[in-house]
């Protein structure tokens, strides 16, 4: 059973409350200061060196692919200036078992839409099995013209696991799916780079890589990758039911900088020449906007800025 990254949760947390009087905002701040506990359920986490295989389904431009590849490479790129993507990812080291070092493995391009343009979960699973390997995460990325069951209605991305036979042994392999919402539902799955479909209509931020759909994918990919390494098999760190858990990042949805409150992503950095909003520097001079992550040491959602 996969763990969904629900935009329903996103709008419950970040967009469903109208921020008006100052007193109401203070009340929200008081609520946000309550300890948030993600219980550890004694299961295996993904730690050590982990290969990330990318399965591109549909048409992505080389620039779009490079934005996502650079993001994954940034997770373990300590040379980027602070605040950095790798500093954000290091919070996962605080979960039991040490660090999770993600490295790019194989990339498979499915540009001919061999399974059509309307995919079900079983199609995502089939695509994720195109690459076999231990200690790996197979990431299925669907293009903007590909509809996926539940996409835009209940999820922006998901992660889960499948059983893989290795000789006489049966192991579990982690997979991730994230879709490009640019033409289907940017108000749900690419906020804060697009007007939200519900809640306070604050002006959208300028996306750091000039692509609302792909920069939205980065937020959702960051969310499900953090969930994958800290709760790969539905018995790691989470709050709530295992079938719809709040995980490392989905428990902190809608928070991108200090001072965030419902409908406002918080204070982030702004690139002077382009006006683009970001909070993390990455590999190859990239900039990204990453959501807050739950810190087990402080039991609070941690932002980079």
């Amino acid at each position: 059973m996969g763990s969904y990254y629900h935009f329903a949760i996103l709008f419950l947390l970040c967009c469903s409350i109208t921020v008006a009087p100052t007193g109401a905002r203070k009340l929200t701040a008081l609520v946000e200061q309550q300890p948030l506990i993600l219980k550890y359920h004694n299961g295996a986490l993904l730690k050590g060196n982990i290969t990330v295989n990318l399965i591109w389904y549909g048409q992505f431009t080389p620039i779009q692919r490079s934005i996502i590849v650079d993001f994954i490479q940034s997770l373990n790129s300590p040379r980027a200036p602070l605040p950095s993507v790798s500093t954000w990812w290091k919070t996962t080291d605080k979960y039991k078992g040490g660090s999770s070092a993600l490295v790019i493995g194989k990339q498979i391009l499915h540009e001919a839409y061999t399974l059509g343009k309307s995919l079900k979960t079983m199609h995502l699973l089939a695509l994720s099995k195109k690459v076999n390997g231990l200690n790996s995460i197979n990431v299925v990325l669907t293009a903007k013209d590909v509809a996926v069951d539940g996409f835009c209605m209940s999820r922006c991305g998901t992660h889960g696991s499948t059983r893989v036979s290795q000789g006489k042994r049966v192991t579990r392999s982690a997979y991730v799916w994230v879709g490009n919402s640019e033409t289907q539902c940017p108000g749900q799955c690419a906020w804060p780079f697009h007007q939200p479909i519900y809640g306070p209509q604050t002006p959208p931020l300028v996306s750091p890589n000039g692509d609302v759909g792909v920069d939205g994918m980065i937020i959702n990919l960051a969310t499900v990758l953090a969930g994958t390494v800290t709760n790969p098999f539905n018995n790691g760190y989470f709050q709530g039911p295992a079938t719809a858990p709040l995980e490392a990042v989905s428990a902190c949805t809608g928070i991108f900088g200090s001072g965030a409150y419902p409908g406002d992503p918080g204070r982030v950095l702004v690139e002077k020449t382009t006006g683009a909003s970001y909070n993390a520097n990455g590999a190859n001079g990239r900039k990204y906007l990453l959501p807050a992550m739950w810190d087990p040491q402080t039991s609070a959602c941690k932002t980079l800025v």
Side-chain angles (χ1 to χ4, degrees):
M1 187 70 178
S3 298
Y4 289 178
Y5 169 37
H6 293 269
F7 73 72
I9 293 171
L10 181 140
F11 287 105
L12 177 67
L13 290 180
C14 82
C15 305
S16 63
I17 303 169
T18 302
V19 178
T22 307
R25 193 176 300 174
K26 286 181 180 174
L27 179 61
T28 303
L30 288 172
V31 171
E32 287 176 355
Q33 289 170 7
Q34 298 300 315
L36 174 65
I37 304 299
L38 268 59
K39 183 182 176 185
Y40 176 52
H41 294 78
N42 300 314
L45 309 186
L46 294 186
K47 295 292 181 174
N49 292 327
I50 301 160
T51 302
V52 177
N53 301 304
L54 301 176
I55 299 101
W56 305 89
Y57 189 85
Q59 298 286 331
F60 288 89
T61 68
I63 291 174
Q64 288 177 323
R65 292 201 300 269
S66 70
I67 293 168
I68 291 175
V69 169
D70 284 348
F71 167 67
I72 295 170
Q73 291 177 335
S74 298
L75 295 170
N76 298 294
S77 179
R79 289 176 298 204
L82 297 176
S84 67
V85 175
S86 63
T87 302
W88 177 83
W89 185 249
K90 273 194 170 298
T91 299
T92 63
D93 294 0
K94 299 178 183 180
Y95 293 70
K96 287 185 186 297
S99 64
S100 304
L102 305 192
V103 293
I104 296 283
K106 295 180 180 177
Q107 295 191 56
I108 299 176
L109 303 184
H110 281 272
E111 296 183 310
Y113 301 92
T114 48
L115 299 176
K117 291 188 176 182
S118 182
L119 304 185
K120 299 185 182 301
T121 298
M122 67 179 202
H123 296 127
L124 300 179
L125 291 172
L127 288 167
S128 75
K129 292 177 180 177
K130 294 290 183 183
V131 185
N132 289 324
L134 295 173
N135 276 3
S136 64
I137 303 171
N138 292 342
V139 178
V140 178
L141 301 160
T142 51
K144 63 184 179 182
D145 56 350
V146 177
V148 175
D149 264 2
F151 189 31
C152 299
M153 291 182 286
S154 62
R155 57 181 179 167
C156 302
T158 192
H159 76 86
S161 63
T162 58
R163 295 187 180 278
V164 178
S165 296
Q166 299 278 346
K168 293 183 178 180
R169 285 195 313 142
V170 176
T171 59
R172 299 174 85 175
S173 177
Y175 75 90
V176 157
W177 160 72
V178 172
N180 185 339
S181 68
E182 180 188 346
T183 57
Q184 298 182 57
C185 57
Q188 286 106 320
C189 295
W191 186 85
F193 303 128
H194 191 279
Q195 290 285 120
I197 200 164
Y198 306 113
Q201 296 298 302
T202 51
L205 303 182
V206 177
S207 63
N209 295 288
D211 190 316
V212 167
V214 173
D215 278 312
M217 289 180 81
I218 294 295
I219 293 171
N220 300 327
L221 182 59
T223 300
V224 290
L225 282 177
T228 299
V229 300
T230 59
N231 185 34
F233 310 120
N234 281 347
N235 55 9
Y237 283 86
F238 64 89
Q239 182 188 79
T243 52
L246 289 177
E247 298 177 321
V249 174
S250 60
C252 302
T253 299
I255 303 171
F256 294 89
S258 58
Y261 58 86
D264 189 301
R267 289 184 287 274
V268 297
L269 303 175
V270 177
E271 222 280 322
K272 290 179 181 177
T273 53
T274 63
S277 294
Y278 71 101
N279 60 9
N281 293 291
N284 300 320
R286 291 277 185 204
K287 298 183 188 302
Y288 298 100
L289 186 70
L290 301 180
M293 189 187 305
W294 185 74
D295 186 331
Q297 291 182 349
T298 61
S299 294
C301 293
K302 181 180 179 181
T303 59
L304 283 170
V305 294

